[in-house]
Amino acid sequence: TQLLEQSPQFLSIQEGENLTVYCNSSSVFSSLQWYRQEPGEGPVLLVTVVTGGEVKKLKRLTFQFGDARKDSSLHITAAQPGDTGLYLCAGGSQGNLIFGKGTKLSVKP
Amino acid sequence: GAVVSQHPSWVICKSGTSVKIECRSLDFQATTMFWYRQFPKQSLMLMATSNEGSKATYEQGVEKDKFLINHASLTLSTLTVTSAHPEDSSFYICSATSGRAYGYTFGSGTRLTVV
């Protein structure tokens, strides 16, 4: 069974701080996606990474896919209250998406 | 961009009744749709995968007779929760893909409360 472990589960920080969320697995994934979900809504795709070692930047967010395609990280620079939400990583394999348990981020002004 | 519409956004029903949730891909043909359930403060748990015109594939532990899935067209899949019980109360989310290796669009979810 393929599993994605996300850490930390909860993160509460002050506005302006930096943070990193990790997504690890013992399995290789053909692609990995990061989503952000707000309460009462569906997940919204932030980025997809497919190549080992790939780094993608989306404004203050930096995503990295591990060389072996088993892990990924999401780094947020100068976090803002608007970044608050549940961040989910999901690995693509054989047409299905497997989700991590998520990291609940709270950014306090 | 790809848009998936899920309806209703929330529903309250009495125990023993059935509830139907619709998932529509608005601007693309969804060869595969997925149904997830999400309990409070937890991640998304895949319930079933449905391909247009064929029977859904259910995940282990999901009762196919209780959660009826129909994917009759390339733009519509429905999930019917039959004989609902309070423990079925949850947030149900669908997603759709046109078959690419990556590229899943999620609906906005349906909050089901069974009283």
Side-chain angles (χ1 to χ4, degrees):
Chain A
T1 303
Q2 293 179 301
L3 291 173
L4 278 169
E5 300 286 342
Q6 267 187 259
S7 61
Q9 269 191 287
F10 303 96
L11 193 53
S12 181
I13 60 172
Q14 291 295 129
E15 182 175 3
E17 292 183 4
N18 302 332
L19 67 113
T20 302
V21 176
Y22 300 93
C23 179
N24 296 293
S25 174
S26 58
S27 304
V28 175
F29 287 95
S30 56
S31 65
L32 202 138
Q33 302 181 332
W34 285 92
Y35 293 84
R36 179 164 159 262
Q37 183 182 23
E38 301 205 30
E41 298 183 12
V44 175
L45 179 66
L46 296 174
V47 77
T48 299
V49 286
V50 296
T51 306
E54 182 176 3
V55 176
K56 281 191 174 179
K57 290 195 173 185
L58 185 66
K59 296 183 180 178
R60 295 178 293 102
L61 278 61
T62 302
F63 304 86
Q64 187 164 6
F65 201 13
D67 291 340
R69 289 186 289 140
K70 291 182 179 181
D71 56 271
S72 181
S73 64
L74 157 61
H75 182 79
I76 301 179
T77 304
Q80 298 176 1
D83 295 327
T84 294
L86 178 67
Y87 289 82
L88 296 156
C89 68
S93 178
Q94 300 177 341
N96 289 345
L97 265 186
I98 298 169
F99 279 88
K101 291 189 175 182
T103 294
K104 189 166 176 60
L105 171 65
S106 174
V107 183
K108 301 184 187 308
Chain B
V3 178
V4 171
S5 173
Q6 194 172 334
H7 179 80
S9 298
W10 59 271
V11 57
I12 301 174
C13 72
K14 291 185 178 180
S15 287
T17 61
S18 296
V19 173
K20 180 185 284 189
I21 302 170
E22 291 188 349
C23 181
R24 294 180 184 271
S25 57
L26 297 185
D27 50 1
F28 68 101
Q29 292 187 327
T31 52
T32 306
M33 287 188 171
F34 305 89
W35 287 95
Y36 296 84
R37 181 164 53 182
Q38 185 178 33
F39 291 106
K41 300 181 181 179
Q42 294 189 24
S43 189
L44 283 71
M45 298 300 296
L46 180 65
M47 298 175 66
T49 302
S50 74
N51 293 295
E52 184 265 338
S54 62
K55 289 185 178 180
T57 302
Y58 290 80
E59 294 299 300
Q60 193 172 7
V62 178
E63 300 174 57
K64 60 181 180 182
D65 294 330
K66 180 170 183 60
F67 298 100
L68 301 178
I69 292 172
N70 184 281
H71 192 165
S73 77
L74 283 171
T75 59
L76 173 64
S77 176
T78 60
L79 166 66
T80 302
V81 182
T82 63
S83 187
H85 289 280
E87 55 264 33
D88 297 326
S89 298
S90 188
F91 193 53
Y92 292 86
I93 308 174
C94 71
S95 75
T97 180
S98 57
R100 293 171 294 169
Y102 45 95
Y104 302 79
T105 305
F106 284 80
S108 55
T110 297
R111 169 73 59 194
L112 170 64
T113 302
V114 184
V115 298

